[in-house]
């Protein structure tokens, strides 16, 4: 009995090996896994369709593996590289241009340091240009003195004077108190003045130096030659006055404020813009009016200074400074009366 049991042990081991050899190939066989939740669909249909593949994974209805590669030419590749480099470059700074002319920014400071200091920010022409001879006055920036000058004329070409052209702004205590524009050395467009609280005080519109409401008279009917410019703002004499000869040369230049003559009024010889007499009126149009101005400077025809009250120079009557030998010097004439505004 015991001998028979020992004989059956090899047979059991052999049978186990046969069973494992039969089940192992079946367990390693790939089976299609379906994500279809419909249990009634036949297994054959599930095996025939790849549910992991979508229409988006194709190119023109073809699998991605069979899609044709995009081929670009060398020129297209070079253009693409240039476009990429251009995008990486920093944008170039735009050149400052006003009314078609190149300008440069500058500023000046005046007055004591601190809150009361006045700062002016403005622009000037990078290159000199011919100016309008009929403009009542021209504004320049003196690069040596670092301040703005208002001049009726320039007898000589001064290289340190730059013609103002572009926006203008005046500030005090970081608050804007005046704004406007310059065009070829003249006031242009709208100019506004404010108080320290930002309240608008005055607003004047200019056209190349002339107030928009100025009374302008001409020589002849063609209106090509200006005779006189009488400035009016809101019906009152205000601004730069100018009177010209028929040859286009200035005869008188001055300034009105609050309907009165103020500052220095200049009488010209009538050629090359040379000054003859300079008269001093009141400093402000709100002070008592000065009816008899004071002669402060006089020049001969060669633009030699013959009289200066401040420098105590008086060469009048000397033979070497006579205007024309044998002729009597005419007496100084005061400024003409401004014509009333035409209605």
């Amino acid at each position: 009995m015991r001998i028979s049991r020992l004989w059956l042990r090899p047979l059991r081991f052999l049978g186990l090996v046969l069973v494992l050899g039969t089940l192992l190939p079946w367990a390693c066989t790939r089976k299609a896994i379906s994500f279809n939740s419909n249990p009634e669909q036949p297994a054959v249909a599930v095996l025939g369709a790849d549910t992991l593949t979508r229409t988006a994974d194709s190119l023109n209805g073809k699998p991605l593996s069979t899609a044709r590669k995009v081929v670009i030419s060398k020129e297209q590749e070079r253009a693409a590289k240039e476009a990429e480099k251009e995008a990486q470059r920093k944008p170039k700074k735009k050149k400052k241009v006003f009314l078609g002319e190149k300008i440069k920014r500058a500023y000046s400071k005046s007055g004591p340091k601190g809150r009361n200091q006045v700062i002016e920010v403005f622009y000037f022409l990078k290159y000199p240009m011919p100016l309008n001879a009929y403009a009542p006055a021209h504004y320049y920036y003196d690069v040596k003195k670092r301040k703005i000058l208002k001049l009726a004329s320039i007898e000589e070409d001064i290289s340190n004077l730059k013609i103002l052209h572009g926006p203008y702004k005046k500030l005090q205590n970081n608050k804007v108190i005046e704004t406007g524009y310059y065009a070829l050395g003249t006031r242009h467009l709208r100019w506004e003045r404010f108080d320290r609280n930002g309240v608008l005080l005055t607003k004047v519109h200019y056209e190349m130096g002339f107030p928009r409401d100025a009374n302008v008279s001409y020589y002849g009917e063609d209106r090509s030659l200006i005779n006189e410019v009488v400035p009016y703002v809101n019906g009152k004499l205000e601004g730069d006055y100018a009177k010209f000869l028929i040859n286009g040369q200035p005869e008188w230049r001055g300034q009105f404020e609050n309907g009165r003559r103020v500052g220095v009024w200049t009488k010209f010889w009538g050629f090359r813009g040379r000054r003859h007499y300079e008269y001093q009126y009141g400093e402000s149009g709100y002070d008592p009016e000065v009816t008899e101005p004071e002669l402060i400077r006089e020049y001969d025809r060669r633009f030699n200074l013959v009289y200066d009250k401040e420098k105590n120079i008086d060469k009048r009557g000397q033979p070497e400074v006579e205007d024309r030998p044998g002729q009597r010097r005419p007496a100084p004439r005061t400024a003409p009366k401004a014509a009333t505004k035409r209605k």
Side-chain angles (χ1 to χ4, degrees):
M1 191 68 173
R2 185 177 181 181
I3 297 173
S4 61
R5 289 180 180 177
L6 294 174
W7 182 74
L8 290 175
R9 288 180 180 177
L11 293 176
R12 291 177 183 174
F13 179 74
L14 182 59
L16 181 59
V17 171
L18 292 175
V19 173
L20 292 175
T22 305
L23 295 177
L24 186 60
W26 178 83
C28 296
T29 304
R30 294 183 180 180
K31 294 180 65 178
I33 300 174
S34 176
F35 292 91
N36 192 346
S37 61
N38 188 2
E40 298 179 357
Q41 187 175 1
V44 177
V46 173
L47 294 174
D50 187 4
T51 56
L52 293 177
T53 305
R54 299 177 301 171
T55 56
D57 297 331
S58 61
L59 183 63
N60 296 330
K62 298 180 180 180
L64 292 177
S65 60
T66 59
R68 182 178 299 176
K69 294 182 179 180
V70 179
V71 179
I72 61 175
S73 62
K74 292 183 178 180
E75 295 180 358
Q76 293 175 338
E77 184 178 0
R78 191 181 301 110
K81 290 182 179 180
E82 290 294 333
E84 185 178 359
K85 291 181 181 179
E86 188 67 23
Q88 294 176 355
R89 291 173 184 168
K90 294 182 180 179
K92 295 181 179 179
K93 294 183 179 180
K94 294 183 179 180
K95 296 181 179 179
K96 294 182 176 61
V97 177
F98 182 74
L99 297 179
E101 304 296 336
K102 295 181 180 180
I103 57 178
K104 188 175 181 180
R105 186 175 182 270
Y107 71 93
S108 65
K109 297 181 180 180
S110 59
K113 294 183 179 180
R115 295 183 178 181
N116 294 327
Q117 188 174 51
V118 176
I119 301 176
E120 295 176 284
V121 182
F122 50 89
Y123 295 82
F124 59 85
L125 290 172
K126 297 185 69 174
Y127 308 103
M129 291 187 62
L131 303 180
N132 181 13
Y134 285 107
H138 291 101
Y139 293 83
Y140 302 88
Y141 172 55
D142 193 327
V143 295
K144 292 184 178 180
K145 297 180 180 179
R146 297 185 64 84
K147 66 178 183 179
I148 294 177
L149 301 179
K150 178 184 177 183
L151 302 177
S153 63
I154 298 181
E155 286 73 19
E156 298 179 359
D157 183 16
I158 304 177
S159 58
N160 59 301
L161 295 182
K162 304 296 182 181
I163 303 170
L164 294 188
H165 186 80
Y168 169 85
K169 184 183 296 184
K170 181 188 287 187
L171 303 97
Q172 189 175 26
N173 193 19
N174 294 327
K175 294 182 180 180
V176 178
I177 58 176
E178 189 174 11
T179 60
Y181 296 88
Y182 287 106
L184 299 179
T186 63
R187 289 192 170 190
H188 192 50
L189 302 177
R190 183 174 64 186
W191 279 72
E192 297 176 337
R193 291 178 61 248
F194 306 87
D195 63 8
R196 294 186 178 182
N197 297 322
V199 179
L200 180 64
L201 299 177
T202 60
K203 180 172 63 174
V204 183
H205 291 264
Y206 292 90
E207 295 292 338
M208 301 301 291
F210 300 132
R212 183 180 294 178
D213 299 333
N215 183 14
V216 183
S217 59
Y218 300 86
Y219 288 104
E221 298 181 356
D222 58 352
R223 301 170 66 88
S224 59
L225 301 175
I226 296 178
N227 177 20
E228 188 179 32
V229 179
V230 183
Y232 279 93
V233 177
N234 298 326
K236 184 184 293 186
L237 283 169
E238 189 84 22
D240 296 311
Y241 169 87
K243 184 174 177 59
F244 301 91
L245 300 173
I246 196 170
N247 61 359
Q249 289 291 319
E251 184 181 6
W252 280 99
R253 289 188 187 274
Q255 189 174 14
F256 283 100
E257 184 180 16
N258 193 34
R260 300 173 181 176
R261 294 184 179 90
V262 295
V264 177
W265 280 63
T266 305
K267 174 72 170 62
F268 295 84
W269 277 103
F271 66 96
R272 296 184 181 180
R274 290 183 176 178
R275 289 170 284 177
H276 191 181
Y277 301 110
E278 291 184 3
Y279 296 93
Q280 179 67 55
Y281 284 85
E283 295 294 334
S284 174
Y286 299 92
D287 296 336
E289 185 176 8
V290 177
T291 57
E292 292 295 333
E294 185 179 11
L295 179 66
I296 57 175
R297 275 178 290 272
E298 181 181 347
Y299 301 86
D300 63 9
R301 295 176 61 88
R302 298 179 181 86
F303 197 60
N304 297 317
L305 185 63
V306 296
Y307 175 77
D308 192 316
K309 179 186 175 183
E310 183 179 355
K311 297 180 180 180
N312 198 21
I313 298 175
D314 191 355
K315 299 179 181 179
R316 293 175 295 179
Q318 298 181 11
E320 61 270 14
V321 296
E322 287 287 345
D323 299 332
R324 292 180 184 177
Q327 292 189 4
R328 186 178 179 183
R329 177 186 288 105
R333 295 181 298 171
T334 58
K337 295 182 179 180
T340 58
K341 186 177 181 181
R342 299 176 182 176
K343 296 184 179 179

